[in-house]
Amino acid sequence: MTGRVPLSVLDLAPISSGSTAGQALRNTVDLARRAEAAGYRRYWLAEHHLTTGVAGVAPALLIQLVAAATERIRVGAGAVQLGHRTALSVVEEFGVLDALHPGRIDLGLGRSGFRAPRPGTPAPAAPPAVRPTEPRYTPEGLLIPAPYDFSSLIGSPLFARYTGLVQFPGSEPVEYGEQLDTILALLRGDHRTPQGIEAHAVPGEGADLEVWVLGSSAGVSAETAGALGLPFAANYHVSPATVLEAVAAYRKAFRPSARLTEPYVLVSADVVVAEDDETARHLASPYGLWVHSIRSGQGAIPFPTPEEAAAHPWTDGQRALVEDRIRTQFAGSSRTVVERLEVLRQATGADELLVTTITHDHRDRVRSFDLLAEAWQRG
């Protein structure tokens, strides 16, 4: 990409209604090849569990699939969920990937959305400022909606399935910053157990990985990324209300490291690009129903067709549940979406943008990425 900040891709390996997980994974390989040809900088695979609409459940496996099918594009996790993993398992998995594809692998680290606190852990500190309860616009024109309360998912069927199957019964989660310290020490090769015993991860030790931290708010993730001098990815597409808080907290906490001398921020956005605004809005119209399936606690459903979405009998409460995500999705012609992405970049000071796109038809999804890359390169 030239003339602007780099663009990268986030892929959930979505399953469309009437399709299969196998087809979704084949679509991922096809899209990755197209993204490399179009000039995107990196291709990240997300991690989701226990849903019928997403095949991206194992980032390391999908990274191997994509890296083997491409030649130059960086491939990584966006992100590995540390709430149910050990530091050693992560380093070994990504050590294998680096050994096979040296210098091309990104290790994105995130906290599980259903991570239970360690017994005796004090309650998190209050947010740095009172959040607005009404949508607002930044001076650049970026919409910052009212915050969505993710605590409503606690007690949902998805939460019950998740905690019962993803985490070991009776296990105690390790503090996030401690996990990151251990991962970095294992990669450097200077890890010591509490008893002073050396521990070496092979493959893993000395791996040429780009380590990233992903976060949605001004909390532990942003502060830890800054304190460790790591690059930070903030989620406008998941939590648009808190993206500015997250970026500000990261920059405030940043300390130079061997990796970075100054903060480096990547910001995500959900987009759909087509030949004109009307077509793009039509292709994007199932997005609200899909987001509702997640926020209502079901887990992501197979992505509907526009016709299936149009037939859904919406209630006012259902629309309110997803309004922030619908209003912050960038759907339009390449000119429209480029303008809105540039507003996002200006408002957040992003050094790079991460784009995710879901449409029912894979061909429309590929076309969206192609159109965006062409317009972005024109500057």
Side-chain angles (χ1 to χ4, degrees), residues 179 222 275 289 298 317:
Q179 282 184 295
E275 282 71 12
L289 183 58
Q298 304 173 55

Side-chain angles (χ1 to χ4, degrees), residues 129-149:
V130 176
R131 292 175 179 167
T133 57
E134 297 294 332
R136 63 186 177 90
Y137 287 88
T138 69
E140 298 82 5
L142 180 69
L143 173 62
I144 304 296
Y148 168 71
D149 184 6

Side-chain angles (χ1 to χ4, degrees), residues 199-236:
H200 299 278
V202 180
E205 186 172 310
D208 184 17
L209 302 172
E210 276 194 18
V211 180
W212 288 72
V213 173
L214 281 72
S216 298
S217 64
V220 173
S221 298
E223 293 173 356
T224 302
L228 294 175
L230 296 173
F232 180 66
N235 294 318
Y236 185 70

